[in-house]
Amino acid sequence: MAVLLAGCATAPAQDAPSPAPAPLTADSPAPDTMRWLYGSGEAAGVSIQAMRQLADYAVTQSRLRNIPQSVPMGIEGTIRSESCIDGNRIKPLAVVFDVDETIVLNAGYEAWLAQGNTYSSESWQRWEERGGPLARPVPGAVTALRRLRDAGITPVFNTNRQHSPEGARQAIETAGLGKAVHRETLFLRGDDGNEGSGKDGRRAAIASRYCIIALAGDNLGDFADLFNAPALSPQERRELAARGEYAQLWGAGWFALPNPAYGDSLKGTIREVFGRDADWSPQPGDAPPIANEGSK
Amino acid sequence: MAVLLAGCATAPAQDAPSPAPAPLTADSPAPDTMRWLYGSGEAAGVSIQAMRQLADYAVTQSRLRNIPQSVPMGIEGTIRSESCIDGNRIKPLAVVFDVDETIVLNAGYEAWLAQGNTYSSESWQRWEERGGPLARPVPGAVTALRRLRDAGITPVFNTNRQHSPEGARQAIETAGLGKAVHRETLFLRGDDGNEGSGKDGRRAAIASRYCIIALAGDNLGDFADLFNAPALSPQERRELAARGEYAQLWGAGWFALPNPAYGDSLKGTIREVFGRDADWSPQPGDAPPIANEGSK
């Protein structure tokens, strides 16, 4: 096993006094999170297979023809299914996608960050407005969305972009992901009158018009806002999503795309991320945790 | 979009002269790669759905009863299918798994690294020998392996661990992943007489006894050695895996598990990871690449 540890295991250099490190250039090492997501075949494989799984699932569901209820999803702070019945018919079928790092790769903005720049709402606004022509698809997304549309399923986009519906539309189309129409198949932060980052309100609005058979995102908030409750520790949040009743939805209605580069997934101290049952040292005398419980 | 940029966008502090940063403790921030993999519900969701997809695929294949050839895989430096026929019968069905960060999470060793320690072959050897009792399963792996065994499919483990077959066996069993027998269902680096990290030789040995219907791993080398040829740039390697004839295998015989914490996926400068078509700046006057092509 060739372990290549992230430089981030040490404190960021920007916190250390001078002499300042050499300025970053295009020839500097990329951060490991970005190497993996934007530069590796492994990440491409994970994304392609997730998109295939999503399309297989949704196309199979669409053939059932009699779908009384949506997939479970976050609505009004809880997780529930919404009715797919509208009068005496089934609402049109839809799959709801997050946009950034779910179907669109923001390589231009991330490459700018990698060169030592810091995220700001101003630079991100500029990217929303002007980055569209540089948008690339997440591997597998173009094929998956084409398969959905061929099966009569509408891709609907629920994004926390907030500055430019036109920029979002352009990014989706430039990436080869087809058409998006603001407030019909494209919903931005604020479109439900709520300026927060929660997506439950927009999910409710989409569910009033569509029968949502699947959700896809890189953030648990793309499935339900309750996962991003501030009171949850990282491990509580992980266990809520990965155990019990919600665990069975991954790959069967809920489809997660990998994004270690930014987002609510990146929280926690070493203790919070690993817990005490990961305490270990290679020093001679270390022993299994049961054996040394008394000496700790 | 709440962008939380990795501290690693700046040079590691260990390259800067004194004063030394404060020593890391359990209360220090964990590296983003580890936060995502070991601490996020997003990573758990990605893993659970991949393991479900693998089990669904393999169980469906096992019902075909007449499988003349294995899934395509790396053998002798190429990618090809091996015969599943042995005399007048089909060889026993198997799925070949990598171990570390594919089915077993090495949280103990990674937590030790997170505290400012550096990978060494000595510390890793110690982990191989003594870390077994701390092994945890990758989310979804326990259920997937149980489903395979229930369907008469043998999980076979092909790992680059090299110091302790007994430690590897213990890690797999402690994680709840069932039995592993060295040189029967568990193959370590060196077991084919080749001390390199390539796995083609062990795959050939396993394929001589089993009909391999699927492969799972966190490294492209778990599918074929040719992906890890040193001459490939990161983007060439990604494109080889994600386009053309191999792209169709992700989710249909090849199953990738996400690991941004270490491995061959983590290579490249900013330029190598992103390429020139990600050149972007939020400065006023920036324009779509087509418009400013002449001025660059």
Side-chain angles (χ1 to χ4, degrees), chain A residues 4-13 32 270 274, chain B residues 6-8 10-14 21-25 28-34 110-119 261:
Chain A
L4 302 170
L5 178 63
C8 359
T10 52
D32 280 345
I270 294 168
F274 289 103
Chain B
C8 3
T10 52
Q14 64 197 16
L24 290 165
T25 71
S28 301
D32 280 346
T33 53
M34 297 186 191
E110 295 293 310
W112 179 76
L113 288 180
Q115 290 164 71
N117 300 296
T118 304
Y119 170 80

Side-chain angles (χ1 to χ4, degrees), chain A residues 54-241:
Chain A
L54 183 157
D56 285 350
Y57 176 87
V59 171
T60 299
Q61 289 293 111
S62 75
R63 290 179 182 144
L64 300 179
R65 292 177 174 275
N66 185 16
I67 302 176
Q69 288 199 301
S70 76
V71 69
M73 60 188 165
I75 301 270
E76 293 182 347
T78 186
I79 295 182
R80 68 184 195 218
S81 294
E82 295 291 277
S83 172
C84 282
I85 312 292
D86 179 15
N88 56 4
R89 65 176 192 118
I90 302 284
K91 296 173 190 173
L93 303 187
V95 173
V96 176
F97 291 87
D98 171 53
V99 174
D100 297 305
E101 274 56 44
T102 293
I103 55 165
V104 166
L105 290 181
N106 293 293
Y109 190 76
E110 295 292 310
W112 178 76
L113 288 180
Q115 290 165 73
N117 300 297
T118 304
Y119 169 80
S120 65
S121 56
E122 292 74 18
S123 61
W124 176 254
Q125 176 173 347
R126 190 95 183 144
W127 175 252
E128 279 196 32
E129 293 166 348
R130 306 292 296 271
L134 276 73
R136 301 179 195 171
V138 166
V142 170
T143 300
L145 267 69
R146 187 189 308 127
R147 289 182 60 199
L148 296 183
R149 290 192 175 98
D150 286 351
I153 303 161
T154 303
V156 177
F157 308 102
N158 185 1
T159 173
N160 275 342
R161 290 186 177 216
Q162 60 185 317
H163 300 293
S164 176
E166 172 56 21
R169 182 202 63 73
Q170 189 181 28
I172 292 166
E173 291 193 22
T174 300
L177 298 161
K179 284 200 182 299
V181 179
H182 187 213
R183 294 181 186 272
E184 293 185 15
T185 56
L186 170 63
F187 294 85
L188 277 69
R189 186 166 172 161
D191 279 350
D192 61 340
N194 180 343
E195 292 301 320
S197 60
K199 293 187 167 182
D200 277 7
R202 278 169 273 154
R203 267 186 290 270
I206 298 165
S208 71
R209 300 189 218 172
Y210 289 97
C211 175
I212 301 175
I213 57 175
L215 302 167
D218 67 325
N219 184 313
L220 294 183
D222 295 320
F223 306 93
D225 288 349
L226 65 80
F227 290 123
N228 284 335
L232 292 174
S233 72
Q235 285 296 343
E236 286 170 344
R237 182 176 178 273
R238 177 170 164 108
E239 291 182 9
L240 184 63

